[in-house]
Each structure stands twice: as C-alpha cells, then as structure tokens.
Amino acid sequence: MTGSMRSWPIVHLTLWRVREFTREPEALFWVFAFPILLAFALGVAFKGRGPEVIRVAVEDGDGAAATAAALRISERLEPLVLDSAEAHNRLRTGKVALVVRPGEPVLLRYDSTRAESEMARMVVGDALQDAAGRREARVIAHETVAEPGARYIDFLIPGLLGLNIMGTGMWGVGFGIVKNRSQKLLKRFMASPMQRSQYLLSFVLARLVFLGLEVVAVLLFGHLVFGVPLRGSVFSVAIIVVLGAMTFAGLGLLVASRSKTIEGVSGLMNLVMVPMWIFSGVFFAYSHFPDAVQMFARYLPLTALNDALRAVLLDGAPLVAVAGLLAILLLWASVGFGVALKIFRWE
Amino acid sequence: MLDIALLCRGLVKRYADVTALDGLDLEVHAGECFGMLGPNGAGKTTTIEILQGLLQPDAGRVEVLGHAWRTHERELRQRMGTQLQETKLPDKLTVEEVVALFRSFYRRGKSVDQVLEEVQLLEKRGAWVSRLSGGQRQRLAVACALVSEPDVLFLDEPTTGLDPQSRRQMWGIIERFRSHGGTTLLTTHYMEEAEHLCDRVAIVDHGRVIALGTPRQLIESLGAEHVVEFAIDNDVLVPDEVYLDLSGVQGVAHDDGKTRLTASHVHLVIPDLMRVLERRGATLDQLTTHHATLEDVFLSLTGRHLRDG
C-alpha cells in the first residue's frame, strides 16, 4: 500500500458517514428540502401584505343600508347586510370580525379577545364618526414602512437555520452511533486496531462537510426569494455556524453515549430538542414568555445560536458583540463532549 | 516443539445470575484449526470474546501469540482477524467499501481485490451490503477478518443459518487460511463442520471443556463407530443387559423414546437384534443406522443433544 490519503482510516470512516447520508434519500429531504419548504410556507403565510380588508356584518333593519354605505367609504372595510341570526352566526364562526346594529346608539358586538375584532372596532368607529361629520382635533400624518430585516420572514430564517443545525447535529451524530452500537459494529471495531478517537472524529468531520451546504441552502433561499438581508460578514457567520454545529454534535454524542437502541436514543433526543423548539425563539420571540422562563430560555444552546445568528445576519453585528452568546455555546459544547467521552459505552 | 497460539487457564466469567465460564482451560497450537463445540449457552462466545480482548475474565489467564492483552493490545489487534456472531456490516456501503474501511485500520495486509477474490465476492464488489444473501454477507464478514493477513482468525459460528452450498464455500475459505499456516479458532454447533474442518475439537458444556481431542479420537472414545437407533412400537420392556449381550454392542442409551446401541459391526448386530426382539414379542417401529459422530459423543457425555441448548 502507498502512504497516500486513500489508506487513512479517518478518510474511510468519514467517507462512510458521508455515503450513509447521501445514499438515504429521506435524510436528504429532511436536511435540505424540509427547512426550505417550511421557510417558504411560513414566509408566504405571514407575508407583509397591504392593510387587510376586514369583513363586518350589518344587521338588517332601519338604517342598515345607510350604515353599510358609511362603512364602505373606508377602504379597509367590507360590510355585509345580513339578518340578525345569520350575522351572529358568522361572528361566532369567525367569518366576520364584528356585527354592527344600526340605531341610536349604534351597537358594536365583537369578541374583545380577537385581535382582528379589536382592529375592526377601531376602523368601524372611525368610519362611523367620519360619516357623521367628525372633525379631527389634531391632524396626524401617516407614513408606512416595510424595511427588510424587521419582517416575520427575517426573524424566521435565522431561527430555521439554527433549528436545522441543531437537528442535523443531534440526529447525524446520535443516531449514527447508536445504530452502530445496536448492530454490534462498535464491538467489531473494538476487535480491530481502529482508534476510537478517529471513529468519533469522523462524525464531526462529516458534519462539517454537510454543514456548509445546509447553511448556504437556507440562507440563499431566504435571500433570493424573500430578500432576507445578509448583513454580517461571511467569516462571522461561519464561526457561529461551526461553533453551533460542534455544540450540537457534542450533545448528540452525549445523548448517544449509552443508549443501546434506536428507540431509546430517539426518546432522549426529543427530550432535549423539544424544549428548544418551543423556548429558543425559532418561530416566535421568547420575550413573550414570563421573566423566569426567559431566564431559562436564554441559556439554552439553541437560543444562543439563534440570537447570535440574528444579530450578525440581520443587524450586521461584529463577533465581539455576540461573544457572550458564543461563550454559552462553547460551554455546552465542552459539557457535551466532556461528559460523553467519560461515560461512552463502546461495547 | 508446538507453538501455542492461544492459551486459556482456569477462565471464570460470571454474569448476574449465570456462570458462563467455570474454570475453562484451552490450548490452541499455531497452525491448527481448532473447534469449540457445544450447545447454546455453553460458554463458547464468552471464551472467544475473552481471547479477543473484548471481555475481561473474572479469574484466569489468557495469552494470545504468547502475549497478554494488558501489555500487547496494539500489537495483538494488528495480528488477529475476527468475525463476530451478531455484527451487521453497514447496509449502505458497497462490498468493496466495507473491506477498504477495515483494511485502512491495519498496517499490513492484502489488497481489497485479493481478499474479495479469495472469498468469491469479486463480482459483487459494487453491490450494497443490503443486497447480499446471507452466505455472501457472512463471506464479507470473513473477508474483513482476512484482509489484514492475520496470524490468528476467530470465527464465531461462521456458518450458522447458511444453506449447504454456502457452508461448503465457507469451509473452503477456512481450509485455505489454514493451508497458509494460519491458526483458526472457530465455534460451531454443527458436528459435521467440526469433523470436516478441525484438527482438534474441544467439547464445551456449562463453561468447561468436557472432552478434547481430534474428531477421530473423540468418536473412537465411544468404543464403536456405528450407531443403531430404533424404537419399539408396543410396551415390551427389554433390559439393557440383553442388548449388551449382542455381539459387538459397546453401549446402550435411551433418548426420546428411542434406544441407541453403539456397535462395531452393524451387519452382525442387526440380525441378532431382530431375533431378540421377536422372541420377546416386541415390534420394531423404526430402525436407522449411521456412523458415529461428535453428536453421539456429546450425547454419551451429557445425555443431551447439542442443539437442545
């Protein structure tokens, strides 16, 4: 044999990991297609449209036609004249935001817990006052903006990126190791002169091979389709992404360090990941949670990763500005790898 | 004068509620093919895993190629090849890729092509492991063991579950390894396999060696080389002494409603047996004869069949 790279165990072990992944079409779907489909669906669903048209019902009776005409002057309202029973039926089922009963005084019926109804109350109120000849006490000018970086899709893309890095890191490492253990391959390797460190390193290297592709796919999609800004430097993004990937590879290793069955490791995996799906600000900001929960959420590795990604991608923050977040990631990575190597079951 | 390749002295291994090994002794000479024969749970796999440095015995001494695992692990791992009973090789890799992976762990060894040719998998080199038949998978496992040109080869039930043709192919591979001077330790519960392949055989039961020798010696220890097996249809009882009086009968055993006679000359025993049974009014239900095998040895030593577990 020559001493070329082709005979190095680490090359063969890493190639094995890469092949195992690329020869599994389902895995390719979940890693590459799924986050993009999710981003597309959510991006379209919450796309910043013009002011929405609000449907309201006007109860049929005296003055109904005049009231409806007054409401129609406002571009934002779509009044429907309906008999009382039908109007309330539609209110109950959410097909109209509010019911107007003409008369003196005009009665507005709505559910105050629905954001849409609150909006309807204000717009209908204004329209009726204007129609009755109200004069503004103070003239207010309006200017609306839709700045890239402040929309929901801008919030979402970095979150999805973080979520994907967590998922692929934990599954890629954890699942692969437990599979090898349950197939008694680990034991077979132990009978050979293979070095344990090289086996573990191959999982990390294989992660790095795919990480670049995963990240570029999601960011490019967000940028090209939705105009999500990419303000930070490529170097900063790369550092954060690699550190994040290592953190979750370490946690994946920890979760897999003793499990003997795929079922066992899947349960642990969900136990670790589901709280982060909820608390780490992937789909909505964790600032909605009570203070105590926020304290907890802030120290989760995915929260640190998402916050760092958002700061750098959306605000163009330098690495120094996210040093604290990177420290949290580094801490989790050390704990993951450190404990995993101590308790790892090779046999 | 004979080099000892593998040595076990007084091996003891206990698990929570069972004693897997109960003072097992074993010596395998360099260059021989040595078989461990015994029912499931006899301690064969435990012994082989201790010899491979995968398990620690609770007591006893192990030497492989003259070295202890504690002091020479790196060297020993380079010099042994192994096939474990339960290993599933990576499904999504090709035959060639799997062998190359294992080859990369060793300093010296054969080329991938060479070893694939040896195990007759050359034309399957590009096929995924998931597409292989049971026999092909097992030969691939042995290819991974042979690719480092080991001095010692451990095979744990290499032919269990294989069809007769695949089994013969495996035998050919093992015989070729032996003819090149390699030492093999294999476990099996197929008697004909041990008789065909092994220079010497140890019969293992309840964690100890209960008989040791060449297959020929073990069979001869029965004192006769044929077995006559029959059942009586009605309730007539014939005392064992009657059978022992028949010419050439060395032993009588009863098993599962059948009577088994070990005898040196079948053609003399059968006419006598017919006469005796007729005189006593017994009707014969079945009658078979075969050459004595290791199975008969095991049965006469333990009163149980090998496959009963």
Side-chain angles (χ1 to χ4, degrees):
Chain A
M1 286 296 278
T2 64
S4 77
M5 244 175 65
R6 288 194 53 82
S7 61
W8 291 359
I10 187 66
V11 173
H12 284 273
L13 286 166
T14 307
L15 274 176
W16 171 28
R17 300 266 46 96
V18 170
R19 286 168 173 149
E20 192 113 309
F21 180 74
T22 56
R23 289 172 188 180
E24 189 80 73
E26 281 178 51
L28 287 172
F29 171 81
W30 289 110
V31 170
F32 292 107
F34 180 69
I36 287 177
L37 287 176
L38 197 59
F40 187 73
L42 291 172
V44 169
F46 294 96
K47 199 168 162 51
R49 286 171 293 237
E52 218 165 316
V53 173
I54 303 166
R55 287 206 176 87
V56 297
V58 178
E59 278 186 29
D60 207 359
D62 279 352
T67 304
L71 294 178
R72 208 163 281 127
I73 291 170
S74 165
E75 287 167 357
R76 300 203 49 196
L77 292 172
E78 188 185 316
L80 295 165
V81 178
L82 298 166
D83 69 58
S84 173
E86 177 60 18
H88 286 92
N89 194 27
R90 292 207 184 181
L91 177 64
R92 190 170 53 75
T93 53
K95 290 188 181 107
V96 297
L98 168 147
V99 176
V100 183
R101 178 183 288 164
E104 201 56 52
V106 177
L107 178 68
L108 304 183
R109 292 179 68 104
Y110 60 94
D111 178 348
S112 65
T113 62
R114 279 170 53 194
E116 198 194 8
S117 296
E118 273 296 320
M119 174 68 73
R121 175 183 69 83
M122 295 195 309
V123 179
V124 167
D126 283 351
L128 291 176
Q129 299 286 10
D130 289 350
R134 174 176 72 172
R135 275 186 46 102
E136 299 291 339
R138 179 91 192 263
V139 178
I140 298 170
H142 297 270
E143 184 179 81
T144 55
V145 295
E147 185 76 10
R151 304 160 307 166
Y152 179 63
I153 186 71
D154 302 318
F155 177 84
L156 184 67
I157 288 285
L160 281 180
L161 186 60
L163 190 68
N164 207 32
I165 290 171
M166 171 173 83
T168 50
M170 298 221 28
W171 284 112
V173 175
F175 198 78
I177 286 175
V178 174
K179 195 168 148 200
N180 286 177
R181 187 182 288 124
S182 73
Q183 293 181 332
K184 306 284 177 195
L185 258 177
L186 275 191
K187 194 178 192 178
R188 175 66 187 82
F189 288 144
M190 288 305 96
S192 82
M194 184 198 75
Q195 286 173 29
R196 298 168 183 203
S197 56
Q198 297 209 347
Y199 171 80
L200 295 178
L201 186 63
S202 73
F203 281 85
V204 173
L205 291 179
R207 281 298 303 131
L208 291 179
V209 170
F210 291 110
L211 184 67
L213 294 172
E214 279 166 52
V215 171
V216 169
V218 173
L219 287 184
L220 213 58
F221 172 83
H223 189 64
L224 296 180
V225 177
F226 293 108
V228 173
L230 305 174
R231 296 202 173 104
S233 75
V234 172
F235 176 75
S236 305
V237 176
I239 292 285
I240 294 171
V241 158
V242 168
L243 185 56
M246 291 304 99
T247 303
F248 288 110
L251 292 175
L253 187 67
L254 178 59
V255 161
S257 57
R258 299 198 67 81
S259 293
K260 283 181 177 167
T261 61
I262 296 291
E263 292 78 6
V265 79
S266 302
L268 281 176
M269 210 75 96
N270 285 328
L271 186 71
V272 172
M273 291 201 293
V274 168
M276 288 194 267
W277 277 73
I278 299 168
F279 294 115
S280 288
V282 175
F283 298 102
F284 49 88
Y286 58 86
S287 55
H288 294 303
F289 289 114
D291 288 349
V293 178
Q294 284 189 45
M295 278 299 291
F296 155 79
R298 232 173 246 127
Y299 291 101
L300 294 174
L302 184 58
T303 315
L305 177 59
N306 284 345
D307 287 354
L309 283 172
R310 286 194 180 110
V312 171
L313 286 172
L314 304 181
D315 307 336
L319 276 183
V320 199
V322 294
L325 299 171
L326 298 186
I328 293 179
L329 286 178
L330 206 58
L331 188 71
W332 278 106
S334 324
V335 169
F337 278 110
V339 177
L341 291 177
K342 274 235 154 27
I343 66 170
F344 199 87
R345 190 202 304 263
W346 283 99
E347 190 261 311
Chain B
M1 92 204 170
L2 278 173
D3 276 350
I4 292 178
L6 304 173
L7 177 85
C8 299
R9 280 276 172 274
L11 285 194
V12 176
K13 180 75 187 172
R14 289 189 198 89
Y15 295 105
D17 50 346
V18 281
T19 301
L21 296 182
D22 186 17
L24 182 130
D25 294 316
L26 206 65
E27 263 176 34
V28 177
H29 303 143
E32 81 175 331
C33 179
F34 190 95
M36 271 203 287
L37 199 64
N40 288 328
K44 297 177 309 234
T45 298
T46 306
T47 306
I48 220 168
E49 288 187 354
I50 289 174
L51 275 167
Q52 291 180 88
L54 294 173
L55 270 183
Q56 287 292 322
D58 295 325
R61 188 160 67 93
V62 173
E63 271 179 24
V64 178
L65 300 165
H67 299 296
W69 275 107
R70 205 167 30 81
T71 52
H72 288 73
E73 170 153 11
R74 271 171 171 265
E75 186 198 333
L76 291 180
R77 294 249 170 266
Q78 290 284 347
R79 292 178 67 188
M80 65 173 235
T82 186
Q83 165 264 324
L84 300 175
Q85 211 182 117
E86 307 157 294
T87 305
K88 281 208 204 99
L89 293 167
D91 258 2
K92 291 278 160 71
L93 289 189
T94 66
V95 165
E96 193 170 21
E97 287 162 356
V98 171
V99 178
L101 173 65
F102 279 94
R103 174 65 188 87
S104 74
F105 301 152
Y106 297 89
R107 283 196 295 267
R108 66 184 177 118
K110 302 174 183 182
S111 74
V112 172
D113 284 7
Q114 220 177 330
V115 80
L116 285 182
E117 182 164 10
E118 246 174 73
V119 301
Q120 298 160 54
L121 281 177
L122 209 47
E123 68 272 41
K124 286 277 169 192
R125 59 189 307 162
W128 285 10
V129 173
S130 58
R131 307 266 158 80
L132 299 183
S133 71
Q136 289 166 340
R137 273 178 213 222
Q138 205 60 318
R139 296 209 302 280
L140 177 58
V142 174
C144 296
L146 290 175
V147 75
S148 61
E149 291 192 288
D151 296 323
V152 186
L153 182 61
F154 294 99
L155 302 173
D156 196 1
E157 299 195 4
T159 64
T160 296
L162 299 190
D163 58 83
Q165 195 206 341
S166 301
R167 187 170 300 160
R168 298 240 159 230
Q169 273 179 311
M170 187 64 82
W171 290 0
I173 294 165
I174 298 168
E175 281 168 331
R176 213 166 313 126
F177 177 74
R178 183 185 170 283
S179 72
H180 288 103
T183 306
T184 311
L185 174 63
L186 74 91
T187 71
T188 180
H189 44 221
Y190 298 115
M191 307 12 93
E192 72 278 18
E193 182 160 293
E195 288 175 45
H196 183 95
L197 285 176
C198 297
D199 300 305
R200 290 194 305 144
V201 170
I203 295 181
V204 182
D205 193 34
H206 297 309
R208 326 180 58 126
V209 174
I210 57 171
L212 177 74
T214 66
R216 204 61 267 141
Q217 286 168 343
L218 290 175
I219 291 164
E220 279 168 6
S221 72
L222 288 170
E225 51 190 288
H226 295 279
V227 174
V228 176
E229 202 172 55
F230 61 90
I232 293 172
D233 202 16
N234 44 15
D235 293 336
V236 178
L237 269 175
V238 183
D240 284 358
E241 299 82 64
V242 174
Y243 296 125
L244 286 167
D245 282 345
L246 301 176
S247 53
V249 170
Q250 306 288 331
V252 185
H254 301 277
D255 167 49
D256 207 7
K258 290 182 196 156
T259 305
R260 300 160 56 94
L261 309 179
T262 39
S264 39
H265 301 291
V266 178
H267 66 283
L268 297 180
V269 173
I270 301 248
D272 282 359
L273 176 66
M274 298 303 220
R275 232 168 287 133
V276 167
L277 292 179
E278 201 183 282
R279 216 166 34 227
R280 295 188 164 250
T283 30
L284 209 52
D285 185 28
Q286 342 170 351
L287 174 70
T288 59
T289 73
H290 61 260
H291 271 277
T293 66
L294 289 173
E295 167 86 56
D296 298 304
V297 177
F298 186 79
L299 191 63
S300 81
L301 285 170
T302 66
R304 287 176 291 124
H305 286 279
L306 272 170
R307 301 307 298 269
D308 289 348

